[in-house]
Amino acid sequence: YTYTYTDCAGHSNNWVYTYTIEREDFIMPANEDTIVACASEVVAPTVPVVTDNCGNTLTPSVAVISTMPTCEGDVTYTYTFTDCEGNTHDWVYTYTIERADFTMPANAASTVACPAGVITPTLPTVNDACGNPITPTGPTMGGSYVNCEGTVTYTYTYTDCAGHSNNWVY
């Protein structure tokens, strides 16, 4: 602000008052996280409202999204906020994908009259906790078949991408 003082003789002098605007760095809210069971639950988070120290709302950058893990792990959404002075901070939302164990159908059995009736069983369809089909390994055959009577078992192992493993026995 410049004020000019002039006396009756026409002498003039200026008086100047200067404001120096120095923006303080702004404060960011805490990062957030959520644990989910499946990748399909990972969606863009609700970004917090961030203001500079003068109360102006800052617009975040477009999210930088980390690579989706093939099974379990973290996915991060990183948003960068910058004020007019160039102060910059990231806000990160982390999804931790932790697969739950999957549900197996009940074991099955049948009775046959002759050994020729023992055939490879029809396998049940088993999906992981996120609905993805699981291909079993096996069978491992066992039982207590002696001479003309006994049992023959077929054991199939279903394992999901997280390492949860369950057997189905016929």
Side-chain angles (χ1 to χ4, degrees):
Y1 288 84
T2 301
Y3 298 90
T4 302
Y5 291 88
T6 306
D7 66 11
C8 63
H11 301 112
S12 293
N13 287 301
N14 292 331
W15 181 78
V16 178
Y17 190 91
T18 303
Y19 284 99
T20 300
I21 301 171
E22 178 61 37
R23 292 279 174 120
E24 300 262 337
D25 198 359
F26 58 96
I27 297 172
M28 287 294 295
N31 293 330
E32 295 182 34
D33 57 53
T34 299
I35 296 173
V36 296
C38 303
S40 62
E41 297 175 67
V42 175
V43 296
T46 301
V47 181
V49 175
V50 177
T51 59
D52 65 12
N53 281 332
C54 294
N56 301 308
T57 300
L58 302 177
T59 302
S61 67
V62 173
V64 175
I65 305 167
S66 66
T67 303
M68 184 71 68
T70 57
C71 186
E72 291 186 317
D74 291 340
V75 177
T76 59
Y77 282 72
T78 303
Y79 297 87
T80 302
F81 291 85
T82 304
D83 68 10
C84 66
E85 186 179 77
N87 295 313
T88 300
H89 296 286
D90 290 336
W91 181 77
V92 180
Y93 195 96
T94 303
Y95 284 99
T96 300
I97 302 170
E98 290 183 9
R99 294 278 177 113
D101 197 357
F102 56 95
T103 303
M104 287 294 295
N107 292 332
S110 61
T111 301
V112 295
C114 300
V118 176
I119 59 171
T120 304
T122 301
L123 299 178
T125 299
V126 177
N127 294 326
D128 68 11
C130 294
N132 303 306
I134 301 173
T135 302
T137 59
T140 301
M141 294 184 66
S144 58
Y145 179 75
V146 180
N147 294 330
C148 68
E149 287 191 338
T151 61
V152 176
T153 60
Y154 288 79
T155 302
Y156 294 87
T157 302
Y158 290 81
T159 305
D160 70 7
C161 66
H164 300 114
S165 187
N166 294 295
N167 290 332
W168 181 77
V169 179
Y170 189 94

